[in-house]
Amino acid sequence: MDLKQAKKLERKKFFSDPFTVIAVVGLFLFLFLFILYPLTILLVDSMYIDSKFTFDTFIRIFNMSAFKIAIKNTLVLGTITGIGGTVIGFAFAYLDAYILIKNKFIKGMFNAISILPVVSPPFVLSLSAIFLFGRTGFITRGIFDLSTIALYGLPGIALVQILTFFPVCYLMLKGLLRNIDPSLEEAARNMGASRWQVFKTVTLPLLLPGLTNAFLITFIESVADFANPMLIGGSYDTLATSIYLQLTGAYDKAGATAMAVVLLVISMGLFIFAKYGVESKSVSTLTGKASRERQLVSERNVKAPLMIFCTCIGGFVLLMYFIVPLGSLFTLWGQDYSLSFKWYEYVFKNKGYTVFTDSMILAAIAAPITAFLSMLIAYLVVKKKFFGKSIMEFVAMLAMAVPGTVLGVGFIRGFSSGLYYTGILSGLYGTGAIIIIVFVVRSLPVGTRSGIAALRQIDKSIEESAFDLGASGAKVFTSVTLPLIKDSFFSGLVTTFVRSITAISAIILLVTPEYLLITVRINEFAEKGSYGVACAYATILIIITFTAIMLMEAVLKRISTTKQFTGGE
């Protein structure tokens, strides 16, 4: 059979399955409407003014000294955070993968640090930093009797961003270090090389693409971060906060749109470079999964400095997370440290129940939708052949590179007057539906990646057998594929719930008084200086997310595929 006939047969097979055709068309429509269209309208709005294409808006914002300073601030902050997060993340990863650790406290600390960024709201470390190093901070005022505002600006944002994002680098680099075949390093050691020489000439070169990728991912996270610069930035404006202030303070929609395009170009450029430039190189550099267990390093001159460094950093991070629930229980931080539940009473007497139910309902609706859509995209990308498959995967992953503020501006410009200002779908704007859609779009990349990884481990002959027995595409997906990847499905479901309920950057511009969300309330009270109330909200939010993750683990343990097979044997 020649290539032409094979393609013809593939096309015939594709169109003979209505489920696949409807799924592909529906998903392309969804991805176009809620990812590509909002981004496209940003470009159109920023360049098509008064019925003609012009760069006047870009010229105007680039002539604004505040905008030029914001770009410089964003790049400086991203660089510092990227370097700091990568260095600390690498130290933790190396200690975890290469050093012999017998202390259970250290192992528990590593587990806690890897899960904290997932369960914590975006401003927790900023609140803690204010409590410790702010104007009335426990350390600055309480211990050293200083009245300083040095925290508010670059030092404060860099500190909280590095501590917030370094666990991401740690998780990325830990996997890479464990995949390095130990025989490569042992061969160098057997030839007389010292530990340092082996690290410098074998381990580090193998890790360079991974380190570069970790730096770029942290840089993107820093550039896209809205909550921390808003809370602790003082007069140090970044692009994400400038867009928000331009829209809500200066009421300059065109200027905010052009700023969003600039931020989008920076983050997209880095994302594409990280995905297609660095990741592809790392695959060809590493040798794959380690063939056997590594002999862990036990020399004190290597172990002691790393243990001290990581224990100090890890202990400090855990302390900062502990400060938030503590801050919610004190009468007035900095002045009266007597225990009190008055902030919790205030929360529940002032629409607290509505805030929590609204947030949980919207996140709970978004979670199964995202989990189902991401598994469906993964199924089509891995198991089916059709034109535009790579485009579908790329667009589904695109939201990972789009800063939340940019997406929020795109949805406002795209849907406030309907599709291309026709009034179609304008009813979405200002409703809970648009918030749910943003939640789905923001979490789609995580679920899709998880689903693709799971599906690539499943032999396609299992599904082909079902097809041969006469099952339709829908039947095969729901009765064969979905049960086999149910772990990824439930993982995506809970991840979406947690990401949605802790989100702020994308929805702060879209939320209306009709919907009261926890993160928006935390931001409001923190901006007003009511840190006790903000901490009470944040503490309850952490409990909600932690409970959701514990429930997921319990469910996964109960229905785990591995357990079933093991039990069956």
Side-chain angles (χ1 to χ4, degrees), residues 2-240:
D2 61 18
L3 187 62
K4 196 174 176 182
Q5 284 180 314
K7 284 184 176 177
K8 190 177 177 182
L9 192 61
E10 283 293 339
R11 275 199 300 274
K12 191 177 177 184
K13 192 177 173 184
F14 174 79
F15 285 109
S16 66
D17 183 358
F19 169 75
T20 307
V21 175
I22 293 170
V24 169
V25 173
L27 283 170
F28 268 124
L29 189 63
F30 176 85
L31 295 174
F32 171 77
L33 273 179
F34 301 118
I35 297 179
L36 288 182
Y37 166 68
L39 301 182
T40 307
I41 205 73
L42 283 179
L43 293 171
V44 173
D45 269 10
S46 59
M47 290 188 281
Y48 191 72
I49 299 167
D50 295 333
S51 303
K52 64 176 182 181
F53 281 99
T54 173
F55 290 98
D56 286 354
T57 312
F58 286 98
I59 294 169
R60 178 166 65 83
I61 62 165
F62 275 102
N63 282 329
M64 294 164 60
S65 58
F67 181 66
K68 286 189 277 191
I69 291 171
I71 292 179
K72 181 188 162 193
N73 289 349
T74 304
L75 297 178
V76 169
L77 178 65
T79 306
I80 294 172
T81 304
I83 293 171
T86 306
V87 169
I88 297 176
F90 174 72
F92 272 74
Y94 192 84
L95 184 66
D96 194 9
Y98 273 61
I99 306 292
L100 183 64
I101 306 172
K102 294 179 180 174
N103 191 313
K104 288 184 180 177
F105 172 77
I106 301 289
K107 288 183 178 176
M109 185 178 73
F110 274 69
N111 289 333
I113 285 174
S114 64
I115 199 173
L116 279 174
V118 180
V119 302
S120 70
F123 356 65
V124 165
L125 290 185
S126 288
L127 287 171
S128 303
I130 292 170
F131 280 156
L132 291 176
F133 306 110
R135 191 173 295 165
T136 58
F138 181 76
I139 293 176
T140 46
R141 175 65 69 85
I143 297 178
F144 295 106
D145 195 25
L146 296 171
S147 180
T148 174
I149 56 169
L151 176 74
Y152 303 94
L154 179 61
I157 312 175
L159 173 71
V160 296
Q161 282 195 348
I162 289 171
L163 295 180
T164 302
F165 300 134
F166 90 83
V168 179
C169 299
Y170 157 54
L171 292 174
M172 288 173 64
L173 295 172
K174 184 173 77 169
L176 289 176
L177 281 167
R178 285 185 174 169
N179 277 343
I180 293 178
D181 195 329
S183 59
L184 295 171
E185 292 152 331
E186 286 172 10
R189 288 281 286 165
N190 291 337
M191 292 174 74
S194 65
R195 285 274 180 210
W196 171 243
Q197 284 174 320
V198 172
F199 175 76
K200 193 174 64 172
T201 58
V202 180
T203 313
L204 194 58
L206 286 172
L207 272 182
L208 270 182
L211 288 169
T212 310
N213 203 23
F215 169 81
L216 290 172
I217 297 296
T218 315
F219 192 102
I220 293 171
E221 293 278 1
S222 166
V223 164
D225 185 23
F226 168 80
N228 291 311
M230 198 68 196
L231 198 58
I232 207 171
S235 58
Y236 193 87
D237 289 330
T238 62
L239 277 175

Side-chain angles (χ1 to χ4, degrees), residues 393-460:
E393 184 183 1
F394 177 78
V395 177
M397 295 293 180
L398 196 59
M400 189 182 287
V402 180
T405 321
V406 174
L407 197 65
V409 176
F411 269 74
I412 291 173
R413 302 296 282 172
F415 294 102
S416 59
S417 303
L419 289 178
Y420 294 107
Y421 310 107
T422 58
I424 299 170
L425 291 181
S426 61
L428 272 178
Y429 187 68
T431 65
I434 203 165
I435 297 173
I436 292 169
I437 291 167
V438 170
F439 286 163
V440 172
V441 168
R442 295 285 288 167
S443 298
L444 205 56
V446 181
T448 305
R449 285 184 74 161
S450 169
I452 287 174
L455 279 170
R456 282 187 175 147
Q457 295 176 351
I458 297 171
D459 197 320
K460 64 180 180 181

